[in-house]
Amino acid sequence: MTIQQNAASFGQPVPPVERPKEKAHVIASDAEAIEVARKIAAEIAKDSSKRDRERIWPIEELDAYSQSGLWSINVPKEYGGPGVSYVTLAKVIAIISEADSSIGQITQNHLAVVGAINTVSDEAQKKILFAEILAGTRFGNAFSEFGSKKATEFETKFEDAGDHVIVTGKKFYSSGALLAHLVPIVALDDEGRAWYVIADRGAEGLTVIDDWSSFGQRTTLSGTVIIDKVKAPKTHVVPGYKGYATPSADGPIMQIIQAAVDLGIARAAIKETIDFVKTKSRPWADSGVEKASLDPYVIQAVGDLQVRANAADALLERAGHAVDRAVAQATPESVAEAQVAVAESKILTTEIAVLATNKLFELAGTRSTLAEHNLDRHWRNARTHTLHDPVRWKYAIVGNYYLNGVNPPLHAWS
């Protein structure tokens, strides 16, 4: 079941949601994570087109997803979590994103923050926050700022107030914040260092506005977050800057999740292309064949798409292994290898997502553009999500590493 927001709610503040009454399931193995992802994806896929077309929030789908245990898969085993590999985590995100890339993206920052907590938090903080995550708590995000000159710059700040901090600022691109239970806010201390101030979604002064108007990724539950003297306990103030002050896997973790979302979009587009060509498309008049699926040019084009998607999948898995090595032992060498491997993966996942969603219409024909099919959602989603950071800079990172031995910069985009 899905619940549609009233059109009048657009541009308005949205009240917080209740936390789950029951604890979330805890997944026991990598194999179970893949199995659960496939089951959840099968349900998510049923109304994904309708949700996109009518801008329906995936409320019950999101609850089922987060309660399934897939939102705690990178909580380490020593804290009671599954501690699955990042190879598996990327596979899970790709599976979910193939079903609905908006829902796949909602998990993106949550899992990245879980990874950051593992990198930078002390033992006491890890125990507190990992226990919340294992119980089924969902993180949204309030990272990026609309008016800053660069994505890496922040104006939101917090001040020390004894056993808590007080944070003030304004955020945008806040995927998942509308229906989150906790909202990690990137804020600067008086030394200019960036922390994750994890505030309660219902905290006084924290307002999330339903104003995400992009033509793609329409139901990522994003919007403007207004932070007006919001209080957060120091137990929930995470020194995120430490993940980039010295080499760590935090950047590659952020990036590999994004690459997995794009691979999911590409797979969905290729699947729709094959189905449409086989069941609805007409062969070209000069082709001499009875079915569009027998057109040799269509056959070649589908083969090309599938090869590129498989290559992107292979590089994503290779990148996952590199991230796992950097998590296990973060050195300048292992982290740089992970950054470069993920950058290579993101190049191919970006390019196949855009190519596959464009080729869909070329191969399926004019009738594939009819509104009743809503196939343009795949192109809109690919074009929107792949803009998180420019792939042209991924080529620069890779080339500079191999040619000049220059390690990539340490931040969330590399």
Side-chain angles (χ1 to χ4, degrees), residues 21 32 51 68 76 113 115 119 137 153 165-166 174 196 201 210 220 295 303 322 360 371 384 389 403:
K21 293 180 173 63
E32 186 189 0
R51 287 192 298 272
S68 72
V113 172
T119 299
T137 296
E153 295 179 352
V165 301
I166 299 174
S174 304
Y196 297 114
R201 172 65 175 81
D210 174 22
T220 54
D295 182 324
L360 191 164
T384 299
D389 51 282
L403 182 62

Side-chain angles (χ1 to χ4, degrees), residues 54-132:
E54 301 177 20
R55 198 172 174 272
I56 300 172
W57 291 1
I59 295 176
E60 294 198 7
E61 290 84 357
L62 192 62
D63 285 342
Y65 181 24
S66 60
Q67 287 294 100
S68 72
L70 292 175
W71 283 53
S72 65
I73 53 175
N74 59 336
V75 173
K77 287 183 171 65
E78 56 265 36
Y79 297 95
V84 305
S85 69
Y86 277 94
V87 173
T88 295
L89 185 146
K91 290 180 185 296
V92 165
I93 297 300
I95 290 168
I96 297 296
S97 297
E98 182 178 350
D100 187 327
S101 58
S102 284
I103 294 179
Q105 185 183 339
I106 292 170
T107 341
Q108 182 174 290
N109 294 297
H110 171 97
L111 293 172
V113 172
V114 174
I117 291 168
N118 188 44
T119 299
V120 304
S121 294
D122 60 26
E123 289 301 305
Q125 189 170 65
K126 286 181 183 181
K127 288 177 181 178
I128 292 169
L129 295 178
F130 285 154
E132 289 209 53

